[in-house]
Amino acid sequence: PPDELTPEKALELLDRAEQAERPLCLCPQTGKPVYVKTGRYGPYVQRGESGGGEKPEYVSLPKKMRPEEVTPEIAQKLLALPRTLGTHPQSGEPVVAQLGRFGPYVQCGSETRSIPDDISVLDITLEQALELLAQPKGTRRRSIEALRELGTSPVTGQAVKLMAGRYG
């Protein structure tokens, strides 16, 4: 069976759990320990102790990032999100890069745009963000053209069309 627990797999799980209890580093601003952990919703970075008087801060890792790749520098950049990149030249509003429920994005006022996979939310520049915000907002709407005409309905006399929809 694929879910069989082998001795090697058990040792790997124990090692990973032990590593999650050791801090990756101490935060230079606060002096609190910074951990890389895996939780119910995936891997994340935590600043501060769990179960103490103060609530720790959490930031999920971007989808393409694995816990082993997180360095103290990357952890600090993640904990600094949302990050203000600058002000928009026309509106004067702040341009912000952040991680959201559906992935990384930039925001200026009420306008938002997803950050493409080839640009990191940690390294995006104001110029790149302004380019994204200048593009028209993408729509999730599918084409309304028929994939195939099946003929005429004998009941209604109208054309029967095969369409692409939300579920296929």
Side-chain angles (χ1 to χ4, degrees):
D3 293 347
E4 188 175 312
L5 186 64
T6 63
E8 294 82 21
K9 181 78 171 166
L11 288 172
E12 180 187 330
L13 289 171
L14 287 170
D15 185 45
R16 209 178 307 158
E18 183 182 314
Q19 285 177 351
E21 296 308 313
R22 279 185 267 141
L24 176 68
C25 63
L26 291 177
C27 177
Q29 289 87 17
T30 64
K32 294 178 182 178
V34 176
Y35 301 92
V36 179
K37 296 185 174 189
T38 301
R40 185 169 157 183
Y41 301 109
Y44 63 96
V45 174
Q46 173 183 319
R47 178 173 35 208
E49 298 285 343
S50 297
E54 282 186 53
K55 187 176 178 186
E57 297 171 63
Y58 305 96
V59 178
S60 294
L61 296 187
K63 289 191 188 307
K64 304 262 180 190
M65 189 178 288
R66 295 191 333 258
E68 309 85 61
E69 299 172 352
V70 178
T71 63
E73 294 78 26
I74 291 174
Q76 293 303 316
K77 285 183 175 183
L78 285 168
L79 289 164
L81 293 174
R83 182 170 68 100
T84 302
L85 305 174
T87 56
H88 195 283
Q90 281 88 31
S91 69
E93 293 185 89
V95 178
V96 179
Q98 51 193 328
L99 280 174
R101 182 176 175 191
F102 302 108
Y105 66 98
V106 291
Q107 179 178 15
C108 181
S110 62
E111 287 291 314
T112 60
R113 298 292 184 277
S114 294
I115 298 175
D117 290 339
D118 60 331
I119 302 173
S120 169
V121 67
L122 304 176
D123 301 322
I124 190 167
T125 64
L126 177 62
E127 291 74 29
Q128 290 170 317
L130 292 174
E131 282 179 34
L132 289 173
L133 290 164
Q135 296 174 2
K137 199 163 196 157
T139 61
R140 293 177 183 240
R141 182 175 254 189
R142 305 231 185 260
S143 169
I144 56 172
E145 292 181 28
L147 297 175
R148 205 159 103 198
E149 297 265 345
L150 301 176
T152 309
S153 168
V155 177
T156 63
Q158 294 181 334
V160 177
K161 299 175 185 179
L162 180 65
M163 307 294 283
R166 182 175 181 182
Y167 301 106

